[in-house]
Amino acid sequence: MSTAKDVTDATFQSEVLDSDKTIMVDFWAEWCGPCRAVSPILDAIAAEHSEKLSIVKLNVDDNPETAMKYGITSIPAMKVYRGGEVVKTVIGAKPKPALEADLAEFLA
Amino acid sequence: MRQVIIVGSGPAGYTAAIYAARANLAPLVIASSVEFGGELMKTTEVENFPGFPDGIMGPDLMVKMQEQAERFGAEIVYDDVVKLELDGDVKRVTLGNGDVHESLTLIYATGSAYRKLGLDDETRLSGYGVSWCATCDGAFFKQKKVAVIGGGDSALEEATFLTRFADKVYLVHRRDKLRASAALQDRAFADPKIEFLWNEEVAHVYGDEKVTGIGLLDTNTGEEKTLDVTGMFVAIGADPRTHLVHGQLELSPEGTITVEGRSSRTSLPGVFAAGDVIDPTYKQAATAAGSGVVAALDAEKYLAELSPEVIAKAVPVAV
């Protein structure tokens, strides 16, 4: 089971867009195999860099409004939000070193 | 020191693991960090694997194979191989986390990776309408028009799957007939949502931030036309994943690893290969599983015939 907190259509504004922290949202679904594969890797990155980057999850089936607003057409999709804006998008499950390289600017 | 390390965790890798484990060789399976279970993890219903008359979900089948291998003592590591050193009596495997494992034999069963069309915009729009996995991304195309590119089994499976969501699925194929099996063809031809576009090649993918259409080229007349779709699913086959063994193992003209006759023996002693990575022709879950059996038995025989001097180098792993 993932340790990441769930955000929803109802809480996205307050917990992600209005946050004063850098937050990465993992857009996922139950039926998505690669999402399940990448989930423990995201947990590990979150645990190692908790002071720099918070990682939360959004289930695209339960929260279609937010998924549609951000034009999600492929999951897992990981979007980094800062000051209410998307500042980075990573698409697809990748090994930990590759994800860390993609996210380097937010983990340093 | 191990007796057997298996790289890959599809039907070939796990079946090799089952056989090697049952021969008390305590194999170590390097399963990959995000692609464990292989291609079948991205499929839905598997209807042609023997023993499942009602079909079985691809991911469920792979979990069962994994459990069967573990039951007999296979150990599974969820990491990626970054380096292989295959010459010499002892094979060295370096993982993404820096761990190095050594073994007297290595079974290489890494399968194949989806082929791309080779268009610049295909890569740029990957994840923004361009996809290689209908089961992963199909649900985002509800009431949309999409195109599937290809003419084999996977193209027709993807097209049929996408009709659950999309209003219209174009099947774009560069020839005038399909390679796919008759059962899949019959199903697709009968589906009112699927329209076949024959003798058409994809020349362009259009869209700034996401796909808005694709440009098709008629292979007979050279005429170009635009197809208004918001999704393009590429299913034009796969290439054997051999980058880790380039320069070490002999490859065939098709790019697969060369093996001796019907065996799994590669150009290096103690290194065996199985599954799609040696198979340019059949590429089925059941043939890959059979190929995994061959590799495990070949490895077992090789170990049994090793000289005492070589075996002395190997310290048995405590069980």
Side-chain angles (χ1 to χ4, degrees), chain B residues 216-245:
Chain B
L216 299 181
L217 190 70
D218 189 305
T219 56
N220 291 326
T221 64
E223 245 172 85
E224 274 203 52
K225 69 174 167 205
T226 303
L227 199 60
D228 291 325
V229 291
T230 55
M232 176 177 82
F233 292 82
V234 183
I236 54 168
D239 293 312
R241 248 189 271 241
T242 54
H243 60 281
L244 288 166
V245 299

Side-chain angles (χ1 to χ4, degrees), chain A residues 38 41 45 93-101, chain B residues 32-35 79-80:
Chain A
V38 83
I41 294 172
I45 292 175
K94 298 182 185 187
K96 189 161 179 263
L99 269 179
E100 284 171 338
Chain B
S32 151
S33 64
V34 293
E35 294 188 280
D79 204 337
D80 306 287

Side-chain angles (χ1 to χ4, degrees), chain B residues 247-267:
Chain B
Q248 300 193 74
L249 297 182
E250 209 173 279
L251 301 182
S252 73
E254 290 96 351
T256 51
I257 293 172
T258 305
V259 291
E260 213 181 302
R262 298 178 62 219
S263 81
S264 65
R265 292 189 296 272
T266 69
S267 53

Side-chain angles (χ1 to χ4, degrees), chain B residues 97-222:
Chain B
N97 67 6
D99 286 358
V100 178
H101 295 276
E102 293 185 330
S103 177
L104 289 174
T105 65
L106 185 126
I107 295 175
Y108 193 76
T110 51
S112 51
Y114 294 124
R115 198 172 290 158
K116 293 184 168 189
L117 290 164
L119 305 168
D120 289 342
D121 294 323
E122 172 193 19
T123 307
R124 181 175 61 81
L125 291 166
S126 164
Y128 300 92
V130 177
S131 173
W132 283 265
C133 180
T135 56
C136 308
D137 303 336
F140 299 107
F141 295 86
K142 286 191 185 96
Q143 276 118 47
K144 299 280 194 325
K145 291 185 179 131
V146 301
V148 174
I149 320 301
D153 282 354
S154 47
L156 291 204
E157 277 168 9
E158 301 238 312
T160 300
F161 179 78
L162 285 166
T163 59
R164 296 187 196 183
F165 309 105
D167 277 348
K168 178 92 190 175
V169 178
Y170 296 100
L171 196 291
V172 179
H173 188 39
R174 63 191 168 134
R175 303 187 200 288
D176 61 2
K177 55 171 168 296
L178 302 165
R179 288 187 314 274
S181 68
L184 290 171
Q185 291 200 27
D186 291 347
R187 197 179 300 172
F189 285 137
D191 196 316
K193 280 188 175 179
I194 300 178
E195 182 178 337
F196 286 80
L197 301 176
W198 303 104
N199 302 308
E200 300 276 4
E201 261 178 9
V202 183
H204 301 284
V205 187
Y206 300 114
D208 292 330
E209 289 183 347
K210 48 187 173 181
V211 172
T212 55
I214 58 176
L216 299 181
L217 190 70
D218 189 305
T219 56
N220 291 326
T221 64

Side-chain angles (χ1 to χ4, degrees), chain A residues 48-103:
Chain A
E48 287 163 30
H49 303 277
S50 57
E51 74 293 353
K52 301 274 185 195
L53 183 70
S54 303
I55 302 182
V56 299
K57 300 170 82 73
L58 182 125
N59 183 314
V60 297
D61 285 336
D62 300 341
N63 303 282
E65 218 173 278
T66 308
M68 197 174 294
K69 181 180 172 196
Y70 290 97
I72 304 296
T73 57
S74 183
I75 54 173
M78 291 145 276
K79 288 182 180 285
V80 181
Y81 293 81
R82 199 178 256 172
E85 299 288 328
V86 177
V87 291
K88 177 89 188 177
T89 299
V90 180
I91 289 181
K94 298 182 185 187
K96 189 161 179 263
L99 269 179
E100 284 171 338
D102 285 344
L103 299 171

